[in-house]
Amino acid sequence: MKELKQSFEYILNLDVASLLKSDIIDQEIIHQSKVIGSGGETKISDKLQYLLEHDDVFKIKFEKFLRNCQYVFIYDEIITANQVIKSKNPRKTYRSFAYYESYLGTIKAEIEGGNLTKGDKIIFIGSGPLPITLIQLYEHYGIESIGIEIIPEVAALSRQLISSLGLSDKIEIVTGNHFSIKSAKDIKHIIVALAAEPKDEILQWLKTVISKDTSVSYRFEEYEDKAEKLKDLFVFQERKYKEFDGYTTTKIIKPAPPSRNIIAIVKPSLN
């Protein structure tokens, strides 16, 4: 929690002049870049593009900047989770979360990819402080779940949030990681979050605990326009699509905007 707060404050109080050569990069570009981690629109000029491709020292400094930006979204979730817990109307507050609508398409894609129906149960690895995936799965489809969160404080906050929504008997939050899953024979579908890493290790472990009827999905991103390629340059390589050893991709589902995560449905390959 302390690391998240420090990273968030680092971004807000960034000395742009010393970090990004303000004599070359104008302030507006940097201002727009600060919203990368929270999903906002990002602008990238030809000058910035050139520096990132040709100036290794600059690229290293900018990489540090972007890595800290990644914490903004997590910190935003923590703030929202606390607001929900303290609210007199937790459900209304939860639904006011900036990304609520964008998750609806992602959830629909998971339902399609996992062939899920009411009464099924899923596991979500990397559920975070505001497990909106799990809440929406139950809220809209009657799917019960187990969320796995590696940071104890974040998991505890998530449990409080779930309790405030009256869903503790439908959504369980476990403190741990993928190795905490000892058996998933009765689980219909397992979701690996966009930020859950290392994905290869996670997927290799899952092969040892799932049944032949359990589907697995992992979320990834791809960028097509010039602005979005800012993320593609160095920081988010682990969030791109790839084939994993021992797995076959059976389907890729790209939800309609404003949903941004793309869903890859994978199955262990037959030996």
Side-chain angles (χ1 to χ4, degrees), residues 12-268:
L12 295 182
N13 299 309
L14 193 62
D15 181 353
V16 176
S18 63
L19 180 65
L20 296 177
K21 302 180 181 177
S22 62
D23 57 323
I24 299 175
I25 306 299
D26 65 62
Q27 299 293 319
E28 177 60 22
I29 293 172
I30 304 310
H31 171 73
Q32 292 294 333
S33 298
K34 288 182 183 181
V35 299
I36 289 172
S38 57
E41 294 183 1
T42 307
K43 296 179 180 179
I44 178 170
S45 71
D46 291 337
K47 291 184 291 185
L48 180 55
Q49 183 81 34
Y50 179 85
L51 283 172
L52 291 172
E53 292 176 352
H54 297 91
D55 188 330
D56 291 338
V57 174
F58 176 85
K59 186 174 179 178
I60 290 170
K61 292 179 179 179
F62 202 76
E63 178 178 3
K64 178 182 178 182
F65 169 71
L66 284 187
R67 287 193 180 280
N68 279 277
C69 280
Q70 295 181 68
Y71 288 112
V72 172
F73 181 76
I74 301 172
Y75 193 69
D76 191 34
E77 283 198 356
I78 291 172
I79 292 173
T80 303
N82 276 300
Q83 289 173 342
V84 172
I85 292 167
K86 297 174 182 177
S87 175
K88 294 181 179 179
N89 190 336
R91 288 185 181 274
K92 181 178 179 180
T93 304
Y94 142 72
R95 288 172 183 155
S96 69
F97 180 54
Y99 298 95
Y100 179 86
E101 294 294 330
S102 69
Y103 269 88
L104 292 173
T106 304
I107 300 308
K108 185 177 180 181
E110 296 287 3
I111 292 291
E112 176 189 339
N115 193 27
L116 299 172
T117 58
K118 184 176 181 178
D120 288 336
K121 193 166 189 175
I122 69 105
I123 290 176
F124 185 31
I125 300 173
S127 53
L130 183 63
I132 195 166
T133 290
L134 306 184
I135 298 168
Q136 287 191 352
L137 277 170
Y138 184 76
E139 187 176 45
H140 296 285
Y141 298 98
I143 308 295
E144 298 187 13
S145 57
I146 299 171
I148 299 178
E149 170 54 48
I150 195 169
I151 304 174
E153 295 87 349
V154 171
L157 180 64
S158 183
R159 290 187 199 100
Q160 292 180 57
L161 170 74
I162 296 300
S163 176
S164 73
L165 295 172
L167 296 175
S168 296
D169 60 333
K170 307 299 181 184
I171 301 172
E172 178 186 1
I173 302 298
V174 174
T175 304
N177 57 20
H178 47 290
F179 294 124
S180 303
I181 306 173
K182 305 303 181 184
S183 175
K185 305 302 181 185
D186 299 324
I187 299 297
K188 183 70 178 293
H189 185 61
I190 297 179
I191 302 170
V192 181
L194 178 67
E197 299 294 339
K199 283 190 171 58
D200 185 59
E201 179 182 285
I202 293 171
L203 291 172
Q204 297 311 315
W205 175 255
L206 291 181
K207 283 199 300 186
T208 70
V209 297
I210 63 176
S211 74
K212 62 181 179 62
D213 298 318
T214 305
S215 58
V216 177
S217 73
Y218 73 88
R219 296 175 180 179
F220 68 97
E221 297 176 322
E222 64 181 23
Y223 308 104
E224 298 175 355
D225 60 50
K226 184 179 178 182
E228 289 294 348
K229 286 182 182 296
L230 180 62
K231 292 182 179 180
D232 246 358
L233 291 173
F234 34 67
V235 180
F236 296 89
Q237 297 299 314
E238 66 273 16
R239 296 187 180 186
K240 293 182 179 180
Y241 170 78
K242 65 171 288 187
E243 294 281 354
F244 291 96
D245 290 342
Y247 277 88
T248 300
T249 302
T250 61
K251 185 182 294 187
I252 291 179
I253 307 171
K254 188 172 184 178
S259 299
R260 300 186 61 147
N261 290 178
I262 305 171
I263 311 298
I265 306 298
V266 297
K267 282 273 191 182

